[in-house]
Each structure stands twice: as structure tokens, then as C-alpha cells.
Short mmCIF file of all heavy atoms in Angstrom, two decimals:
data_model
loop_
_atom_site.label_atom_id
_atom_site.label_comp_id
_atom_site.label_asym_id
_atom_site.label_seq_id
_atom_site.Cartn_x
_atom_site.Cartn_y
_atom_site.Cartn_z
N VAL B 1 0.27 3.75 -2.36
CA VAL B 1 -0.02 2.92 -3.52
C VAL B 1 -1.48 2.78 -3.79
O VAL B 1 -1.99 2.92 -4.90
CB VAL B 1 0.64 1.63 -3.47
CG1 VAL B 1 0.04 0.48 -2.60
CG2 VAL B 1 0.79 1.04 -4.86
N MET B 2 -2.35 2.64 -2.76
CA MET B 2 -3.69 2.57 -3.00
C MET B 2 -4.41 3.90 -3.30
O MET B 2 -5.18 4.00 -4.20
CB MET B 2 -4.46 2.10 -1.63
CG MET B 2 -4.21 0.65 -1.47
SD MET B 2 -5.16 -0.09 0.05
CE MET B 2 -4.37 0.62 1.41
N ALA B 3 -3.84 4.95 -2.67
CA ALA B 3 -4.36 6.34 -3.10
C ALA B 3 -4.01 6.72 -4.50
O ALA B 3 -4.94 7.39 -5.21
CB ALA B 3 -3.77 7.34 -2.04
N TRP B 4 -2.79 6.32 -4.97
CA TRP B 4 -2.54 6.64 -6.37
C TRP B 4 -3.27 5.73 -7.31
O TRP B 4 -3.56 6.13 -8.52
CB TRP B 4 -1.04 6.52 -6.63
CG TRP B 4 -0.38 7.85 -6.06
CD1 TRP B 4 0.30 7.95 -4.91
CD2 TRP B 4 -0.41 9.17 -6.78
NE1 TRP B 4 0.74 9.32 -4.79
CE2 TRP B 4 0.25 10.03 -5.97
CE3 TRP B 4 -1.16 9.56 -7.98
CZ2 TRP B 4 0.37 11.33 -6.29
CZ3 TRP B 4 -0.95 10.75 -8.25
CH2 TRP B 4 -0.30 11.82 -7.35
N ALA B 5 -3.69 4.43 -6.94
CA ALA B 5 -4.51 3.65 -7.80
C ALA B 5 -5.86 4.31 -7.94
O ALA B 5 -6.51 4.35 -8.95
CB ALA B 5 -4.73 2.26 -7.01
N VAL B 6 -6.37 4.90 -6.81
CA VAL B 6 -7.60 5.65 -6.84
C VAL B 6 -7.50 6.81 -7.72
O VAL B 6 -8.36 7.16 -8.70
CB VAL B 6 -8.07 6.12 -5.49
CG1 VAL B 6 -9.36 7.09 -5.47
CG2 VAL B 6 -8.49 4.81 -4.65
N ALA B 7 -6.37 7.54 -7.64
CA ALA B 7 -6.26 8.74 -8.57
C ALA B 7 -6.01 8.27 -10.02
O ALA B 7 -6.56 9.07 -10.88
CB ALA B 7 -4.94 9.53 -7.98
N ALA B 8 -5.36 7.20 -10.16
CA ALA B 8 -5.23 6.73 -11.57
C ALA B 8 -6.53 6.31 -12.26
O ALA B 8 -6.72 6.39 -13.50
CB ALA B 8 -4.31 5.55 -11.59
N ALA B 9 -7.55 6.15 -11.39
CA ALA B 9 -8.95 5.80 -11.89
C ALA B 9 -9.66 7.01 -12.06
O ALA B 9 -10.90 7.05 -12.40
CB ALA B 9 -9.61 4.86 -10.91
N GLY B 10 -9.05 8.20 -11.94
CA GLY B 10 -9.59 9.48 -12.15
C GLY B 10 -10.37 10.08 -11.01
O GLY B 10 -11.21 10.92 -11.05
N ILE B 11 -10.18 9.60 -9.85
CA ILE B 11 -10.91 9.97 -8.60
C ILE B 11 -9.92 10.39 -7.52
O ILE B 11 -8.86 9.76 -7.19
CB ILE B 11 -11.64 8.66 -7.96
CG1 ILE B 11 -12.54 8.10 -8.99
CG2 ILE B 11 -12.37 9.15 -6.66
CD1 ILE B 11 -13.17 6.76 -8.64
N TRP B 12 -10.15 11.64 -6.96
CA TRP B 12 -9.31 12.13 -5.90
C TRP B 12 -10.02 12.01 -4.61
O TRP B 12 -11.22 12.33 -4.37
CB TRP B 12 -8.98 13.59 -6.29
CG TRP B 12 -8.04 13.69 -7.38
CD1 TRP B 12 -8.28 13.58 -8.70
CD2 TRP B 12 -6.62 13.65 -7.24
NE1 TRP B 12 -7.25 13.63 -9.39
CE2 TRP B 12 -6.07 13.70 -8.54
CE3 TRP B 12 -5.82 13.78 -6.16
CZ2 TRP B 12 -4.75 13.73 -8.80
CZ3 TRP B 12 -4.40 13.83 -6.46
CH2 TRP B 12 -3.91 13.92 -7.82
N ALA B 13 -9.45 11.25 -3.71
CA ALA B 13 -10.01 10.90 -2.42
C ALA B 13 -9.01 10.80 -1.36
O ALA B 13 -7.87 10.80 -1.50
CB ALA B 13 -10.74 9.53 -2.74
N VAL B 14 -9.56 10.81 -0.10
CA VAL B 14 -8.78 10.54 1.10
C VAL B 14 -9.16 9.36 1.82
O VAL B 14 -10.19 8.72 1.65
CB VAL B 14 -8.97 11.81 2.11
CG1 VAL B 14 -8.33 13.08 1.50
CG2 VAL B 14 -10.35 11.90 2.53
N THR B 15 -8.15 8.80 2.41
CA THR B 15 -8.34 7.47 3.26
C THR B 15 -9.36 7.65 4.44
O THR B 15 -9.13 8.56 5.15
CB THR B 15 -6.99 6.95 3.76
OG1 THR B 15 -6.03 7.08 2.76
CG2 THR B 15 -7.18 5.54 4.30
N GLY B 16 -10.39 6.93 4.39
CA GLY B 16 -11.36 6.90 5.32
C GLY B 16 -11.15 5.85 6.41
O GLY B 16 -11.34 5.98 7.61
N GLU B 17 -10.56 4.70 5.90
CA GLU B 17 -10.41 3.55 6.72
C GLU B 17 -9.41 2.60 5.97
O GLU B 17 -9.54 2.44 4.83
CB GLU B 17 -11.61 2.75 7.01
CG GLU B 17 -11.63 1.60 7.86
CD GLU B 17 -13.09 0.89 8.05
OE1 GLU B 17 -13.79 1.38 8.81
OE2 GLU B 17 -13.31 0.01 7.28
N MET B 18 -8.45 2.02 6.91
CA MET B 18 -7.46 1.11 6.25
C MET B 18 -7.17 0.04 7.14
O MET B 18 -7.09 0.23 8.32
CB MET B 18 -6.25 1.90 5.94
CG MET B 18 -5.14 1.04 5.31
SD MET B 18 -3.75 2.18 4.69
CE MET B 18 -2.71 2.13 6.09
N GLN B 19 -7.07 -1.13 6.65
CA GLN B 19 -6.69 -2.30 7.46
C GLN B 19 -5.47 -3.00 6.86
O GLN B 19 -5.47 -3.20 5.62
CB GLN B 19 -7.84 -3.43 7.54
CG GLN B 19 -7.56 -4.64 8.33
CD GLN B 19 -8.73 -5.58 8.52
OE1 GLN B 19 -9.69 -5.40 7.67
NE2 GLN B 19 -8.50 -6.50 9.31
N VAL B 20 -4.49 -3.18 7.66
CA VAL B 20 -3.14 -3.74 7.16
C VAL B 20 -2.87 -5.05 7.75
O VAL B 20 -3.17 -5.24 9.03
CB VAL B 20 -1.89 -2.71 7.54
CG1 VAL B 20 -0.64 -3.36 7.19
CG2 VAL B 20 -2.28 -1.50 6.88
N ARG B 21 -2.42 -5.96 7.08
CA ARG B 21 -1.96 -7.29 7.62
C ARG B 21 -0.42 -7.53 7.20
O ARG B 21 -0.04 -7.42 6.09
CB ARG B 21 -2.70 -8.40 6.92
CG ARG B 21 -2.25 -9.84 7.50
CD ARG B 21 -3.17 -10.94 7.10
NE ARG B 21 -2.58 -12.06 7.66
CZ ARG B 21 -2.52 -13.28 7.03
NH1 ARG B 21 -3.09 -13.38 5.92
NH2 ARG B 21 -2.09 -14.33 7.68
N PHE B 22 0.38 -7.57 8.26
CA PHE B 22 1.73 -7.83 8.10
C PHE B 22 2.06 -9.21 8.17
O PHE B 22 1.60 -9.95 9.11
CB PHE B 22 2.57 -7.06 9.34
CG PHE B 22 2.24 -5.62 9.46
CD1 PHE B 22 1.34 -5.03 10.34
CD2 PHE B 22 2.97 -4.69 8.77
CE1 PHE B 22 1.08 -3.76 10.39
CE2 PHE B 22 2.77 -3.31 8.72
CZ PHE B 22 1.76 -2.85 9.59
N ARG B 23 2.71 -9.71 7.08
CA ARG B 23 2.93 -11.11 6.99
C ARG B 23 4.25 -11.54 7.31
O ARG B 23 4.51 -12.56 7.80
CB ARG B 23 2.72 -11.53 5.37
CG ARG B 23 1.16 -11.31 5.04
CD ARG B 23 1.00 -11.44 3.67
NE ARG B 23 -0.45 -11.49 3.39
CZ ARG B 23 -1.24 -12.47 3.14
NH1 ARG B 23 -0.84 -13.63 3.13
NH2 ARG B 23 -2.63 -12.13 2.75
N ARG B 24 5.31 -10.78 6.97
CA ARG B 24 6.69 -11.01 7.39
C ARG B 24 7.47 -9.75 7.47
O ARG B 24 6.96 -8.76 6.83
CB ARG B 24 7.31 -12.02 6.40
CG ARG B 24 7.17 -11.84 4.84
CD ARG B 24 7.61 -13.03 4.08
NE ARG B 24 7.09 -14.33 4.30
CZ ARG B 24 5.92 -14.78 3.89
NH1 ARG B 24 5.03 -14.00 3.23
NH2 ARG B 24 5.57 -16.01 4.04
N PRO B 25 8.55 -9.77 8.20
CA PRO B 25 9.35 -8.57 8.34
C PRO B 25 10.08 -8.15 7.03
O PRO B 25 10.29 -9.00 6.13
CB PRO B 25 10.42 -8.92 9.39
CG PRO B 25 10.44 -10.31 9.42
CD PRO B 25 9.15 -10.86 8.81
N LEU B 26 10.20 -6.81 6.80
CA LEU B 26 10.94 -6.25 5.75
C LEU B 26 12.23 -5.60 6.31
O LEU B 26 12.18 -4.80 7.39
CB LEU B 26 10.11 -5.16 5.08
CG LEU B 26 10.89 -4.31 3.91
CD1 LEU B 26 11.36 -5.31 2.85
CD2 LEU B 26 10.07 -3.34 3.36
N LEU B 27 13.44 -6.00 5.81
CA LEU B 27 14.67 -5.51 6.39
C LEU B 27 15.12 -4.19 5.62
O LEU B 27 14.78 -4.10 4.40
CB LEU B 27 15.77 -6.52 6.29
CG LEU B 27 15.45 -7.84 7.00
CD1 LEU B 27 16.51 -8.97 6.82
CD2 LEU B 27 15.18 -7.60 8.52
N VAL B 28 15.98 -3.40 6.28
CA VAL B 28 16.41 -2.19 5.49
C VAL B 28 17.39 -2.80 4.34
O VAL B 28 18.11 -3.67 4.45
CB VAL B 28 17.33 -1.59 6.64
CG1 VAL B 28 18.28 -0.40 5.96
CG2 VAL B 28 16.46 -0.99 7.65
N GLY B 29 17.20 -2.07 3.24
CA GLY B 29 17.94 -2.48 2.09
C GLY B 29 17.30 -3.49 1.18
O GLY B 29 17.75 -3.61 0.10
N GLU B 30 16.16 -4.12 1.57
CA GLU B 30 15.55 -5.11 0.74
C GLU B 30 14.44 -4.34 -0.12
O GLU B 30 13.57 -3.60 0.33
CB GLU B 30 14.72 -6.06 1.62
CG GLU B 30 15.56 -7.10 2.30
CD GLU B 30 14.72 -8.03 3.05
OE1 GLU B 30 13.79 -7.76 3.69
OE2 GLU B 30 15.14 -9.23 2.93
N SER B 31 14.66 -4.34 -1.46
CA SER B 31 13.78 -3.78 -2.35
C SER B 31 12.35 -4.45 -2.47
O SER B 31 12.32 -5.62 -2.49
CB SER B 31 14.47 -3.65 -3.74
OG SER B 31 15.53 -2.80 -3.68
N VAL B 32 11.37 -3.54 -2.59
CA VAL B 32 10.08 -4.15 -2.66
C VAL B 32 9.28 -3.53 -3.90
O VAL B 32 9.71 -2.39 -4.32
CB VAL B 32 9.22 -3.86 -1.42
CG1 VAL B 32 9.79 -4.75 -0.22
CG2 VAL B 32 9.06 -2.44 -0.99
N THR B 33 8.31 -4.22 -4.43
CA THR B 33 7.44 -3.78 -5.37
C THR B 33 6.07 -3.45 -4.57
O THR B 33 5.67 -4.32 -3.80
CB THR B 33 7.06 -4.80 -6.49
OG1 THR B 33 8.42 -5.01 -7.08
CG2 THR B 33 6.00 -4.20 -7.41
N LEU B 34 5.46 -2.25 -4.95
CA LEU B 34 4.19 -1.92 -4.37
C LEU B 34 3.15 -1.99 -5.42
O LEU B 34 3.44 -1.69 -6.57
CB LEU B 34 4.24 -0.53 -3.81
CG LEU B 34 5.38 -0.07 -2.93
CD1 LEU B 34 5.40 1.37 -2.66
CD2 LEU B 34 5.48 -0.86 -1.76
N ARG B 35 1.92 -2.48 -5.15
CA ARG B 35 0.89 -2.71 -6.08
C ARG B 35 -0.42 -2.32 -5.44
O ARG B 35 -0.64 -2.61 -4.28
CB ARG B 35 0.77 -4.22 -6.51
CG ARG B 35 1.90 -4.69 -7.29
CD ARG B 35 1.62 -6.00 -7.93
NE ARG B 35 2.72 -6.51 -8.63
CZ ARG B 35 3.18 -7.79 -8.54
NH1 ARG B 35 2.46 -8.73 -7.93
NH2 ARG B 35 4.26 -8.16 -9.23
#
């Protein structure tokens, strides 16, 4: 979702560094929205 946000801004790039924070579990079958 971040890569496509960059592409939508007209820029083609690769991930150089990424930091993720997991806040709660996601169960199989639970739909999510990505932003």
C-alpha cells in the first residue's frame, strides 16, 4: 500500500527501509482496509 501510494504520486521507487508496529492480531477471514 505504501509502494502504490508512492507510484500514485508519480514516483517509481523501491523500499529502502520499513518499520512496522503490530497493534493487535488479525484473524483469518477478517476484512481489512489498507491505507
Side-chain angles (χ1 to χ4, degrees):
V1 76
M2 290 186 292
W4 281 103
V6 171
I11 302 165
W12 288 82
V14 293
T15 311
E17 181 178 281
M18 183 170 88
Q19 182 175 9
V20 178
R21 179 168 182 220
F22 300 97
R23 296 173 176 255
R24 40 189 62 79
L26 175 61
L27 302 180
V28 170
E30 290 185 318
S31 295
V32 291
T33 297
L34 314 173
R35 292 188 186 140

